[in-house]
């Protein structure tokens, strides 16, 4: 799985553009003859990085004349963009791939592609080649830009086409994109991770840390704002180390200040900030930039210094609390979220007590709590002091209870508050209501007409629910 030869980004883009035109032409001819448009279905697992990669694949497929469908029986091409951060994410992919075998038997023209983080693991690729022979195409996270060429190869053979690069290569700019939402957009500012937390597979699936050039990021956001996007989330595994791989060194705070100057942008968010690299300068920047939202996602993982050391997180609870307290002091109305891992090897009841103490001190507004999952290839996979599954679940429930108590209490205290909400869509959970997000990332539901979708409104919270807020429309804002 080595890169055969150096191919320059320009050469690659040109080659793929020619192939995209070719497939588009074929799809057009098919439509002329049969009135039928080829359809694709894409299923995305995992984090925003994968969501964003799927947006790139969708952009390319649309340029190739494909139409999107959510019905697998209607699809001519099905793509699984996979995640392997925890075992259950992988098991779901294997399960769903298995189910497609009978569909492929009924429709031999159906092409099945699997991509994303799981494919960066050699043992997974071998397993799919051996046990899921109905898969036509396998490609890795560093091969997204070459998708048209790989798809075209898959059309010409009955064998499984495989392309998984071990190395990240250069950042490829200028791929077409189809954004999931018309109002909000994810913008990658960097790729990969150098941190090697002992439990985490991401550095092995996404390669080493590399930053996009500032001018490429700014150009992309300016283009998005021109297209009506009002809310951008800057993405990276550790945004605080943005700029370190660039010739012209620039900090993440400087980048935020540049993005904040873009005319027409309303909301700027970012994730993820690593506690070992977060600086007071960044917090000051958040406080000073009017468009940067009052929300900080700062994953702690565990409230015990002993566990943080074993996880190779390179910060202490004391350093974390210093930053949290500074941020609360500097940013009015700040909401704070985090990630926890429960059941890391060697975890004791005392460690859980430390985590609960931290939860009570920070008073999180939301949190993602995960049960530790052994990942082959990571250091913690080989640790002998693994925790019993049942005990992991008991501890998980205990931590979740503490978190929920605080989150519910904080939501209840919002009764009577007036929040600025960007209206996103009709609510899926609350019948007949619209739904949107506040600057602090609260999900807010309220009654209003569909014309409000895409607008900023003020909503008075009248009925706080456990994990969301329901209110009444006060005013439609002119922005
Ligand atoms: N780069 C981010 C950071 O350092 O905070 C996190 C990215 S990771 C995709 C998202 C979350 O998944 C992590 O914060 C961690 O809580 C969780 N995670 C990663 N590996 C895990 C594992 N082996 N088992 C359980 N949870 C895991
Ligand atoms: Fe994984 Fe740690 Fe990198 Fe986050 S910082 S992606 S948890 S290795
Ligand atoms: Fe994201 Fe999962 Fe990959 S969390 S980076 S899609 S392993």
């Amino acid at each position: 799985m080595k890169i055969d030869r150096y191919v320059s980004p320009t050469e690659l883009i040109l080659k793929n553009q020619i192939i995209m035109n070719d497939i588009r032409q074929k799809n057009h001819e098919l439509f002329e003859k049969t009135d039928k448009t080829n359809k694709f279905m894409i299923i995305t697992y995992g984090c925003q990085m994968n969501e964003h990669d799927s947006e790139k694949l969708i952009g390319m497929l649309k340029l190739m004349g494909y139409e999107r469908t959510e019905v697998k029986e209607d699809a001519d091409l099905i793509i699984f963009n996979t995640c392997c951060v925890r075992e259950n994410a992988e098991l779901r992919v294997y399960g769903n791939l298995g189910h497609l075998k009978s569909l492929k038997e009924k429709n031999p023209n159906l092409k099945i592609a699997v991509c994303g983080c799981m494919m960066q693991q050699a043992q997974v690729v071998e397993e799919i080649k051996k046990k899921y022979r109905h898969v036509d195409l396998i490609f890795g996270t560093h091969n997204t830009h070459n998708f048209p060429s790989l798809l075209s190869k898959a059309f010409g053979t009955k064998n499984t086409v495989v392309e998984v690069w071990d190395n990240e290569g250069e950042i490829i700019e200028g791929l077409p994109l189809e954004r999931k939402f018309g109002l909000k957009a994810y913008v990658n500012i960097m790729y990969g991770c150098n941190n090697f937390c002992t439990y985490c597979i991401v550095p092995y699936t996404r390669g080493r840390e590399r930053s996009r050039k500032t001018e490429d990021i700014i150009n992309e956001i300016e283009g998005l704002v021109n297209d009506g996007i009002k809310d951008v989330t800057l993405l990276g595994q550790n945004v605080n180390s943005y700029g370190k791989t660039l010739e012209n060194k620039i900090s993440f705070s400087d980048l935020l200040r540049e993005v904040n100057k873009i005319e027409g942008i309303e909301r700027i968010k970012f994730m993820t900030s690593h506690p070992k690299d977060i600086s007071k300068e960044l917090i000051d920047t958040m406080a000073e930039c009017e468009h940067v939202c009052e929300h900080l996602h700062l994953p702690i993982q565990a409230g015990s210094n002993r566990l943080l050391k074993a996880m190779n997180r390179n910060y202490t609870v004391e350093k974390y609390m210093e930053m949290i307290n500074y941020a609360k002091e500097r940013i009015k109305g700040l909401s704070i979220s985090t990630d926890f891992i429960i059941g890391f090897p060697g975890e004791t009841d005392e460690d859980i007590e430390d985590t609960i103490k931290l939860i009570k001190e920070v008073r999180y507004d939301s949190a993602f709590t995960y049960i530790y999952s052994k990942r082959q290839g990571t250091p913690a996979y080989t640790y002998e002091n693994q925790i019993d599954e049942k005990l992991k679940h008991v501890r998980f429930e205990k931590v979740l209870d503490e978190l929920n108590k605080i989150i519910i209490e904080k939501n209840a205290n919002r009764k009577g508050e007036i929040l600025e909400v960007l209206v996103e869509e009709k609510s899926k959970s609350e019948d007949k209501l619209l739904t949107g997000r506040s600057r602090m990332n609260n999900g807010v539901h309220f009654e209003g007409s569909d014309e409000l979708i895409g607008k900023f409104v003020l909503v008075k919270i009248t009925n706080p629910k456990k994990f969301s807020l329901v209110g009444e429309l006060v005013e439609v804002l002119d922005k």
Side-chain angles (χ1 to χ4, degrees):
M1 285 194 250
K2 289 274 172 277
I3 302 176
D4 303 336
R5 67 182 184 99
Y6 179 78
V7 185
S8 79
T10 330
E11 209 183 316
L12 259 177
I13 286 187
L14 271 176
K15 182 178 129 199
N16 278 296
Q17 261 169 359
I18 294 167
I19 294 170
M20 278 199 279
N21 280 335
D22 194 39
I23 298 179
R24 186 185 178 81
Q25 182 62 31
K26 285 191 183 125
N27 275 335
H28 181 69
E29 284 162 14
L30 174 83
F31 181 73
E32 295 277 286
K33 263 197 234 151
T34 62
D35 227 18
K36 178 183 177 309
T37 308
N38 273 330
K39 296 192 176 62
F40 72 95
M41 179 175 176
I42 187 160
I43 300 113
T44 308
Y45 303 86
C47 68
Q48 291 83 357
M49 295 287 166
N50 260 17
E51 287 276 354
H52 195 44
D53 284 349
S54 285
E55 290 179 339
K56 291 176 190 162
L57 294 170
I58 296 168
M60 290 188 258
L61 281 161
K62 294 243 169 130
L63 270 188
M64 289 187 269
Y66 277 87
E67 213 173 77
R68 191 169 181 178
T69 175
E70 301 299 332
V71 183
K72 62 178 185 300
E73 287 75 14
D74 290 350
D76 304 279
L77 168 67
I78 299 181
I79 306 173
F80 287 101
N81 191 2
T82 64
C83 167
C84 53
V85 76
R86 283 167 290 275
E87 192 187 13
N88 53 8
E90 279 195 1
L91 294 178
R92 274 196 292 154
V93 171
Y94 285 129
N96 287 336
L97 269 184
H99 287 141
L100 287 188
K101 196 170 175 202
S102 56
L103 198 64
K104 177 99 178 185
E105 279 160 7
K106 276 188 223 145
N107 174 12
N109 290 331
L110 171 69
K111 291 282 170 201
I112 300 171
V114 204
C115 61
C117 289
M118 263 173 89
M119 302 308 117
Q120 293 300 132
Q121 305 172 98
Q123 78 275 13
V124 171
V125 174
E126 283 316 307
E127 171 106 353
I128 292 181
K129 281 197 329 199
K130 208 163 76 197
K131 296 197 186 149
Y132 301 86
R133 288 170 181 266
H134 53 291
V135 169
D136 300 281
L137 171 59
I138 295 173
F139 60 101
T141 57
H142 308 308
N143 307 80
T144 309
H145 55 273
N146 208 22
F147 170 62
S149 154
L150 296 170
L151 185 63
S152 152
K153 265 193 207 159
F155 281 130
T157 173
K158 288 216 171 333
N159 299 328
T160 311
V161 173
V162 183
E163 186 178 278
V164 182
W165 287 357
D166 286 344
N167 297 321
E168 46 273 17
E170 278 180 55
I171 294 177
I172 311 278
E173 294 290 347
L175 292 182
L177 270 172
E178 167 93 8
R179 305 273 176 185
K180 189 171 172 194
F181 298 100
L183 304 167
K184 321 197 279 185
Y186 294 129
V187 175
N188 272 123
I189 61 164
M190 56 200 299
Y191 300 92
C193 181
N194 287 354
N195 292 313
F196 292 95
C197 302
T198 52
Y199 51 81
C200 186
I201 195 78
V202 172
Y204 309 91
T205 65
R206 291 273 166 183
R208 291 296 66 72
E209 200 171 276
R210 53 221 184 270
S211 297
R212 280 179 76 193
K213 286 187 195 138
T214 311
E215 59 267 33
D216 288 333
I217 297 170
I218 299 294
N219 284 341
E220 181 178 346
I221 299 176
E222 281 174 348
L224 288 169
V225 171
N226 275 337
D227 289 343
I229 298 274
K230 295 170 175 173
D231 178 323
V232 293
T233 304
L234 310 179
L235 289 182
Q237 294 298 353
N238 176 10
V239 292
N240 303 114
S241 62
Y242 172 75
K244 288 189 181 151
T245 58
L246 293 175
E247 235 167 76
N248 299 326
K249 298 273 173 292
I250 164 170
S251 71
F252 180 56
S253 298
D254 294 336
L255 176 72
L256 269 187
R257 287 185 192 277
E258 287 305 309
V259 177
N260 190 60
K261 282 186 213 152
I262 295 175
E263 185 109 17
I265 194 135
E266 291 297 341
R267 288 184 178 183
I268 306 164
K269 305 167 192 164
F270 55 88
M271 69 187 303
T272 301
S273 215
H274 194 303
K276 84 177 162 65
D277 292 319
I278 190 170
S279 61
K280 290 193 174 163
E281 187 202 351
L282 174 68
I283 293 167
D284 290 339
T285 305
M286 288 176 73
E288 285 157 24
C289 291
E290 57 171 319
H291 299 302
V292 177
C293 289
E294 296 77 19
H295 174 67
L296 180 62
H297 182 65
L298 201 59
I300 176 90
Q301 313 298 355
S304 132
N305 283 338
R306 199 180 58 79
L307 279 187
L308 290 176
K309 194 154 191 278
M311 290 175 170
N312 192 32
R313 291 289 288 177
N314 286 306
Y315 53 84
T316 59
V317 172
E318 292 71 26
K319 149 104 199 277
Y320 182 88
M321 282 310 303
E322 186 192 337
M323 288 299 158
I324 290 284
N325 288 333
Y326 186 70
K328 280 183 179 172
E329 204 180 286
R330 285 288 280 122
I331 306 165
K332 198 171 162 273
L334 179 74
S335 77
I336 302 166
S337 60
T338 197
D339 294 348
F340 286 109
I341 294 181
I342 307 298
F344 185 78
E347 180 192 80
T348 61
D349 287 339
E350 289 72 49
D351 293 325
I352 292 294
E353 289 310 319
D354 284 345
T355 295
I356 289 174
K357 184 168 163 255
L358 172 107
I359 290 171
K360 288 181 176 161
E361 227 173 306
V362 178
R363 293 184 59 76
Y364 290 104
D365 295 82
S366 65
F368 297 97
T369 313
Y370 304 109
I371 289 183
Y372 169 69
S373 171
K374 262 174 97 174
R375 300 288 66 208
Q376 197 175 341
T378 63
Y381 183 83
T382 58
Y383 294 175
E384 280 173 6
N385 47 359
Q386 302 286 333
I387 305 294
D388 169 72
E389 283 303 318
K390 260 200 197 140
L391 183 56
K392 280 187 197 172
H393 281 85
V394 171
R395 289 176 175 170
F396 175 83
E397 292 301 331
K398 193 168 175 185
V399 169
L400 208 61
D401 275 356
E402 291 298 331
L403 278 165
N404 287 349
K405 257 191 255 166
I406 292 169
I407 293 167
I408 293 168
E409 204 178 296
K410 286 190 93 172
N411 275 344
N413 286 343
R414 292 205 181 270
K415 191 166 178 175
E417 271 184 28
I418 295 181
L419 299 180
E420 183 205 90
V421 175
L422 172 55
V423 189
E424 291 177 4
E425 57 191 348
K426 283 186 171 175
S427 169
K428 291 183 188 94
S429 58
E430 300 286 335
D431 202 24
K432 295 197 195 122
L433 298 186
L434 294 176
T435 186
R437 295 238 155 225
S438 74
R439 285 176 61 101
M440 287 87 73
N441 206 34
N442 309 95
V444 180
H445 310 285
F446 66 99
E447 209 176 303
S449 67
D450 290 3
E451 288 97 77
L452 292 178
I453 293 174
K455 300 224 158 71
F456 286 93
V457 296
L458 293 181
V459 175
K460 182 172 182 181
I461 305 307
T462 51
N463 181 15
K465 300 274 171 108
K466 280 186 176 173
F467 302 110
S468 65
L469 303 169
V470 177
E472 285 166 7
L473 178 68
V474 175
E475 192 185 332
V476 180
L477 299 175
D478 183 23
K479 58 176 180 176

